[in-house]
Amino acid sequence: MAAKRRFKNKKVRYLAIGASLVTGAATVTVLLPSANAADEPSVERIMRMCERTAKLNGKQQSVSDFKGGLGDGFESDTCDFVETKFETFDGPTEKVTVDFPNCEPNATEPSKVTTEFSKAVGQGQGKYTATQQGALGGLFGALSGGWVKHKGTLDMTVKTATASESEQREVPVGKVMHVTFTPKMQRMTGEWRVHLDADPGSFAVNPSPEKNFVAPEVVEGPVILDSAAGTPGLADGTTKVVLEDC
């Protein structure tokens, strides 16, 4: 019966955290199950427990993986990133070239031009994973693994991906041409689940029940095209020729 009473007494508190994303702002809700307000860790504390876990996404860690020193221990037993949704969508369309006019009064033929652009597309790194630690990439590595099963892969080690193009085009008589680019974006939604085993206690340590904490995560960034081995992939997207009257 004690276990049932303890469960009934648990409170669930919600903490709203603002998350700035590549294409706008969103609100992330953090679910913190706890016995009382004094026991509730901050979101930063939950993510520290995740970084310094004994087993991250099923892989055993050592303290050196999170740059721990002699005498440092693990702060949780397991932490797993669990994906709940994956989607692709169009990012904001931007004008990426200058205007190419063919507006001379005596023009009779289309003018041949070379349209070139190089556009950096911002990489979302998630709300809680702004730091990278250890040879395995820590939480970055845990997130990167989630993208592998999707067609559009995301490289979490770079801050931006580049889209570029160089094309020969013709500008009709009496028109002004420019090119726009719409990046293809992808968003992965999920949550970090931190678990601490129950501690039966000892002579010097009070017993404690098992604990579970959840921190939702949203990560987004450009879809990366397949590339040759050893070379960075280009950001995927759509270019469009826009013609306007002189």
Side-chain angles (χ1 to χ4, degrees):
M1 291 298 293
K4 288 185 179 179
R5 281 200 300 275
R6 188 161 59 241
F7 178 77
K8 283 185 178 181
N9 288 337
K10 274 182 177 264
K11 296 178 183 177
V12 175
R13 301 264 320 258
Y14 290 88
L15 194 64
I17 303 296
S20 177
L21 302 177
V22 176
T23 56
T27 299
V28 175
T29 303
V30 179
L31 179 64
L32 302 176
S34 178
N36 55 64
D39 290 339
E40 289 178 2
S42 65
V43 177
E44 290 75 15
R45 176 65 181 155
I46 292 174
M47 294 314 298
R48 178 183 166 91
M49 287 190 288
C50 185
E51 278 189 323
R52 294 172 175 254
T53 188
K55 189 175 288 186
L56 179 60
N57 267 18
K59 293 182 179 179
Q60 190 69 39
Q61 292 205 118
S62 69
V63 292
S64 62
D65 288 326
F66 48 81
K67 297 182 179 178
L70 189 64
D72 284 342
F74 299 111
E75 298 188 16
S76 67
D77 293 286
T78 64
C79 179
D80 296 282
F81 179 76
V82 180
E83 180 186 325
T84 57
K85 187 177 182 181
F86 188 88
E87 56 194 317
T88 58
F89 58 98
D90 287 338
T93 298
E94 293 188 50
K95 180 180 176 180
V96 290
T97 67
V98 298
D99 289 329
F100 297 94
N102 188 3
C103 298
E104 293 295 328
N106 58 350
T108 58
E109 294 182 358
S111 60
K112 291 180 171 57
V113 298
T114 300
T115 59
E116 292 183 304
F117 75 88
S118 181
K119 176 67 179 174
V121 184
Q123 179 82 286
Q125 295 184 335
K127 175 63 181 174
Y128 313 119
T129 52
T131 58
Q132 183 169 241
Q133 83 287 344
L136 299 178
L139 300 184
F140 271 117
L143 277 180
S144 293
W147 298 92
V148 173
K149 60 189 174 185
H150 298 289
K151 194 169 183 180
T153 58
L154 184 67
D155 183 355
M156 293 297 292
T157 65
V158 297
K159 291 185 177 181
T160 60
T162 302
S164 64
E165 181 190 84
S166 178
E167 293 287 340
Q168 296 286 328
R169 292 188 167 98
E170 291 188 345
V171 185
V173 174
K175 297 291 184 180
V176 180
M177 182 183 76
H178 70 265
V179 175
T180 64
F181 176 71
T182 305
K184 182 181 288 186
M185 306 294 291
Q186 52 191 339
R187 179 185 295 125
M188 182 168 67
T189 305
E191 55 190 25
W192 298 101
R193 298 179 182 177
V194 178
H195 173 78
L196 285 75
D197 291 339
D199 188 342
S202 63
F203 175 75
V205 179
N206 290 328
S208 61
E210 71 172 54
K211 296 179 182 178
N212 295 284
F213 302 106
V214 176
E217 178 76 281
V218 179
V219 190
E220 62 181 42
V223 174
I224 308 298
L225 295 167
D226 291 336
S227 61
T231 61
L234 294 175
D236 194 9
T238 304
T239 56
K240 182 180 178 182
V241 173
V242 179
L243 295 172
E244 298 173 330
D245 293 333
C246 291

